[in-house]
Amino acid sequence: TPSAYADSNVLHRPVESATRSGHWTFVYLSSILQRHQIVVAATGVFMNVDQQFQHDLSHRLRLLDVLDRITQVNLSSESMEDVMRGVLDLVLEVFKADRAWFLYPCDPDAPSWGVPMERSRPEWPGLSALGADIPMDSEAAGIFREMLSTNGLIQYGPDASHPVPLILEQFSVKSQLMIALRPKIGKAWVFGLHHCANLVMHDAGDLHLFTAIAQRISDSLSSLISIRQSRESEAFLREIIDTIPMSLFIKDTSSRITLMNRACEEQWGM
């Protein structure tokens, strides 16, 4: 009934089921659920697939699901920090990692670098917990140069082409992924995750997913940095206006006062 649909939620999820032939039937199910989880309508796409196609389709569905969840984080967040925090929490979950973080700046010529945002399991606090930037040294500068010259991510671990950097030994890092983020505004960042409890070497599917997440984050960073800079410019302009000793106010096209400096407020007792 119309009233039942009014209180419903739409759910999109991939579903897998095995057939008697040993092949798999994939369903991308869109279900309309009532408030008490009773299905009242459902649509789906069904197909018989071989093992390779099953693997490829499963990866694509996983990728779409993760990117959609990142979009939801962007839509539900009110600040750049909220977006970054939400994305890192998602990365911890998806990759079963122990620590995920953003490093800034990825600049070998900078005097120092830090981790402005980090999310970790309670037993594995990282560099952000120290609350201070790290002076640049030759090892970090070398890593940043390689990150900026690499068109993609780098996997670190004993079985990878890159061993875990010495600077991370104090944080019990057994393996890590890192990739440079290049927003359109400002310097490059680094997006990374750590495995500390166990050594994890990610397969090609995980590496592709991590790269896709990084690209989505780079796009979001450009917008978020632009918004932050605009707000900071507005706040700076307001501070300058408030220092002017004469009364000053600004009206919009409807003659409504949209801004009034401190001298004007004091003059009019507002």
Side-chain angles (χ1 to χ4, degrees):
T1 64
S3 60
Y5 285 88
D7 294 331
S8 300
N9 298 315
V10 178
L11 175 67
H12 301 279
R13 64 172 54 161
V15 179
E16 307 171 7
S17 62
T19 66
R20 292 182 179 179
S21 64
H23 290 185
W24 289 77
T25 300
F26 272 79
V27 185
Y28 194 75
L29 185 64
S30 299
S31 299
I32 301 177
L33 305 180
Q34 284 189 346
R35 182 174 299 171
H36 299 293
Q37 304 298 307
I38 300 174
V39 177
V40 296
T43 61
V45 179
F46 297 77
M47 64 186 76
N48 288 329
V49 297
D50 59 23
Q51 196 168 27
Q52 182 59 45
F53 193 85
Q54 168 198 339
H55 178 271
D56 293 343
L57 184 57
S58 178
H59 170 68
R60 289 181 180 274
L61 292 175
R62 182 188 183 207
L63 175 62
L64 290 172
D65 177 64
V66 172
L67 294 182
D68 179 66
R69 293 172 68 183
I70 291 176
T71 299
Q72 296 305 315
V73 169
N74 281 323
L75 293 175
S76 62
S77 301
E78 297 183 355
S79 69
M80 180 173 171
E81 288 74 17
D82 288 342
V83 172
M84 297 171 74
R85 187 179 300 110
V87 169
L88 292 181
D89 285 341
L90 176 59
V91 168
L92 285 180
E93 173 193 340
V94 170
F95 291 93
K96 297 180 174 60
D98 297 308
R99 190 182 300 126
W101 42 268
F102 292 110
L103 178 152
Y104 182 85
C106 182
D107 178 4
D109 297 320
S112 63
W113 56 275
V115 179
M117 180 64 68
E118 176 185 85
R119 304 291 281 175
S120 64
R121 309 293 178 189
E123 63 271 29
W124 300 111
L127 185 62
S128 181
L130 300 180
D133 285 351
I134 305 299
M136 187 67 67
D137 60 18
S138 58
E139 182 185 27
I143 292 172
F144 294 162
R145 288 192 184 93
E146 184 173 20
M147 295 301 305
L148 294 174
S149 64
T150 301
N151 186 24
L153 61 78
I154 299 178
Q155 182 164 208
Y156 295 78
D159 299 325
S161 58
H162 291 74
V164 175
L166 294 176
I167 193 174
L168 297 178
E169 286 185 349
Q170 61 179 312
F171 300 105
S172 304
V173 177
K174 290 184 170 63
S175 57
Q176 75 168 355
L177 294 179
M178 292 203 310
I179 189 170
L181 304 179
R182 297 175 172 86
K184 297 177 182 178
I185 303 173
K187 295 182 178 181
W189 296 58
V190 176
F191 167 47
L193 63 81
H194 291 158
H195 290 282
C196 303
N198 299 290
L199 170 63
V200 177
M201 300 307 294
H202 294 278
D203 60 18
D206 279 351
L207 300 183
H208 181 260
L209 177 60
F210 191 77
T211 302
I213 293 173
Q215 181 59 57
R216 180 63 61 88
I217 295 171
S218 290
D219 295 340
S220 298
L221 270 178
S222 297
S223 299
L224 292 168
I225 293 173
S226 177
I227 292 172
R228 170 180 276 187
Q229 289 182 347
S230 177
R231 289 175 177 171
E232 289 175 349
S233 296
E234 291 174 1
F236 180 66
L237 178 61
R238 178 58 192 253
E239 290 179 4
I240 293 176
I241 291 175
D242 275 341
T243 62
I244 299 176
M246 66 182 67
S247 295
L248 176 67
F249 62 88
I250 299 175
K251 288 185 176 181
D252 61 16
T253 56
S254 300
S255 295
R256 292 175 297 188
I257 296 177
T258 59
L259 187 147
M260 180 181 296
N261 72 347
R262 189 174 294 112
C264 189
E265 292 174 350
E266 294 173 353
Q267 179 177 346
W268 296 98
M270 301 180 69

